[in-house]
């Protein structure tokens, strides 16, 4: 199954096009490349509502739970190894994520951000576009993004050396980033709307043992303050409704993610939160020849290892489908 010109002569047809270059997408690339399917990977540009090149591990510090790395590994370093392995077997990576798809025609058509008006044509498509960080949606937040408001501690923590900052969230990601931020900041206040954190016990123990971290529970940020830069946040107690001002110069947000599936709406079946639905024990979607893997279809586990595993599933499913339909 090699590239051929499409019937209309517009473009060559790839056997497999993979959308996304995180653990799921690159694992799918490794498997399909080894199967001599010459996959083309379209990776996003890091837009807040689009897939991140290399996936969310590019925004992660120490990864301690990925098998094979007993001493841990930095997220970007791990993804670089994934990338090298995919390219070693012949995968091609193109910058500019998918901005539009037409899954109603065969071969499928995918338009990418840097590809102009001509679509990429594919017999099979593996969707691994991942998810993006959810923002608070409060006054001042959007205006001050990049001026004290951030969703990436590893990207921006360095700029807050010896400053008082806050982290919104109560899960593992929020506490991991809060701990990381203590390398630079004078203090980190963790703000969470519930009376207890959702993070694992080990992460809670690490955070509570760090004397730079304090906790403001049963509270939520209702406004980000500041002119050209963050000067504080207005915080509301969710039980009493009382408001207080927390004087900080940086606000980091880690309250979850939404799947990057907007371009597939109306073309693929999704759940009420926008996650692509796959058939039991497979990566098959509602459209034959379209496969989904990683955080774009996983609303439960959301781990690098499960994303990689589902990328393997998608590759094997795609290879089998191409073989049976060729």
């Amino acid at each position: 199954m090699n590239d051929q010109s499409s019937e209309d002569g517009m473009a060559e047809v790839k056997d497999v096009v993979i959308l996304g270059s995180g653990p799921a997408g690159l694992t799918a690339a490794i498997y399909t490349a080894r199967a001599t399917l010459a996959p083309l990977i379209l990776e996003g540009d890091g837009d807040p509502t689009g897939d991140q090149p290399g996936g969310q591990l590019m925004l992660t510090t120490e990864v301690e739970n990925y098998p094979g790395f007993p001493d841990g590994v930095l997220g970007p370093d791990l993804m670089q190894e994934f990338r090298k392995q995919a390219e070693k077997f012949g995968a091609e990576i193109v910058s500019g994520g998918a901005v539009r798809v037409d899954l109603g025609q065969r071969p499928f058509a995918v338009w990418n951000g840097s590809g102009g008006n001509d679509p990429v044509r594919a017999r099979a498509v593996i969707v691994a576009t991942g998810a993006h960080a959810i923002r608070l949606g409060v006054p001042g937040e959007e205006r001050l993004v990049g001026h004290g408001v951030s969703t990436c501690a590893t990207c921006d923590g360095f700029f807050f050396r010896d400053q008082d900052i806050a982290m919104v969230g109560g899960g593992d990601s929020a506490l991991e980033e809060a701990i990381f931020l203590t390398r630079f900041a004078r203090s980190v206040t963790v703000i969470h709307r519930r009376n207890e954190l959702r993070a694992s016990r080990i992460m809670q123990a690490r955070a509570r043992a760090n004397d730079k971290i304090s906790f403001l529970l049963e509270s939520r940020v209702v406004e980000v303050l500041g002119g050209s830069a963050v000067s504080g946040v207005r915080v509301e107690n969710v039980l009493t409704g009382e408001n207080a001002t927390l004087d900080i110069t940086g606000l980091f947000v880690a309250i979850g993610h939404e799947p990057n599936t907007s371009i597939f709406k109306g073309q693929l079946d999704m759940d009420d939160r926008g996650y692509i639905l796959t058939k039991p024990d497979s990566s098959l979607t509602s459209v034959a020849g379209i496969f989904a893997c990683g955080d774009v279809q996983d609303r439960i586990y959301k781990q690098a290892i499960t994303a990689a595993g589902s990328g393997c599933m998608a590759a094997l499913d795609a290879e089998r489908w191409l073989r049976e339909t060729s």
Side-chain angles (χ1 to χ4, degrees):
M1 291 179 284
N2 298 317
D3 296 345
Q4 298 176 359
S5 297
S6 59
E7 292 183 359
D8 58 13
M10 289 179 61
E12 67 178 10
V13 180
K14 304 292 293 185
D15 281 325
V16 178
V17 170
I18 299 171
L19 310 183
S21 59
L26 289 178
T27 299
I30 292 168
Y31 273 77
T32 52
R34 291 188 72 250
T36 68
L37 293 175
L40 172 67
I41 305 168
L42 303 181
E43 66 174 2
D45 56 8
D47 181 88
T49 57
D51 59 296
Q52 170 74 31
Q56 294 178 55
L57 282 186
M58 295 298 290
L59 308 179
T60 304
T61 52
E62 195 81 6
V63 178
E64 298 181 320
N65 56 6
Y66 200 90
F69 298 90
D71 298 322
V73 59
L74 294 176
D77 290 347
L78 179 60
M79 293 319 302
Q80 182 62 29
E81 294 302 308
F82 272 55
R83 189 184 190 95
K84 287 165 55 179
Q85 192 169 356
E87 291 179 322
K88 171 185 175 182
F89 292 113
E92 179 185 359
I93 303 176
V94 175
S95 61
V99 295
R100 182 162 68 96
V101 297
D102 185 346
L103 307 183
Q105 61 174 284
R106 309 263 177 171
F108 303 115
V110 181
W111 288 262
N112 72 311
S114 59
N117 295 323
D118 295 330
V120 176
R121 304 280 177 171
R123 295 185 177 87
V125 174
I126 295 176
V127 180
T129 47
H132 64 271
I134 299 172
R135 291 179 177 168
L136 298 172
V138 301
E141 179 189 30
E142 189 68 27
R143 178 172 56 84
L144 292 170
V145 168
H147 300 279
V149 174
S150 174
T151 58
C152 179
T154 56
C155 303
D156 301 325
F158 174 82
F159 301 107
F160 296 88
R161 189 175 297 277
D162 299 322
Q163 297 181 42
D164 298 312
I165 61 178
M167 167 64 68
V168 179
D172 277 354
S173 294
L175 295 194
E176 179 185 1
E177 294 203 349
I179 292 169
F180 173 79
L181 288 169
T182 62
R183 300 183 186 183
F184 311 102
R186 180 169 50 235
S187 70
V188 180
T189 301
V190 174
I191 304 171
H192 186 51
R193 62 184 303 139
R194 297 180 176 84
N195 63 358
E196 59 182 27
L197 302 170
R198 295 180 292 104
S200 60
R201 290 183 179 180
I202 187 171
M203 289 304 299
Q204 289 196 46
R206 289 178 180 176
R208 294 188 184 280
N210 192 312
D211 59 9
K212 286 189 174 183
I213 297 178
S214 60
F215 297 87
L216 185 58
L217 303 180
E218 297 179 331
S219 301
R220 67 187 186 99
V221 173
V222 293
E223 185 179 4
V224 182
L225 307 174
S228 59
V230 172
S231 62
V233 291
R234 190 160 59 87
V235 180
E236 178 185 78
N237 184 291
V238 299
L239 299 180
T240 67
E242 293 181 359
N243 279 235
T245 298
L246 182 65
D247 294 326
I248 57 170
T249 53
L251 179 68
F252 290 80
V253 181
I255 57 173
H257 295 81
E258 290 180 350
N260 299 319
T261 55
S262 60
I263 64 172
F264 308 107
K265 289 182 178 178
Q267 302 192 64
L268 294 175
D269 289 350
M270 303 179 190
D271 68 12
D272 57 354
R273 293 171 57 189
Y275 288 89
I276 295 174
L277 295 175
T278 52
K279 297 179 181 180
D281 302 318
S282 79
S283 64
L284 279 66
T285 70
S286 56
V287 175
I290 307 296
F291 309 86
C293 55
D295 285 3
V296 79
Q297 55 83 48
D298 176 12
R299 59 184 291 170
I300 299 175
Y301 301 105
K302 302 180 183 300
Q303 300 295 309
I305 187 65
T306 53
S310 68
C312 168
M313 292 170 57
L316 296 176
D317 287 342
E319 179 187 358
R320 184 181 304 111
W321 183 82
L322 286 166
R323 185 171 61 249
E324 293 174 350
T325 56
S326 63

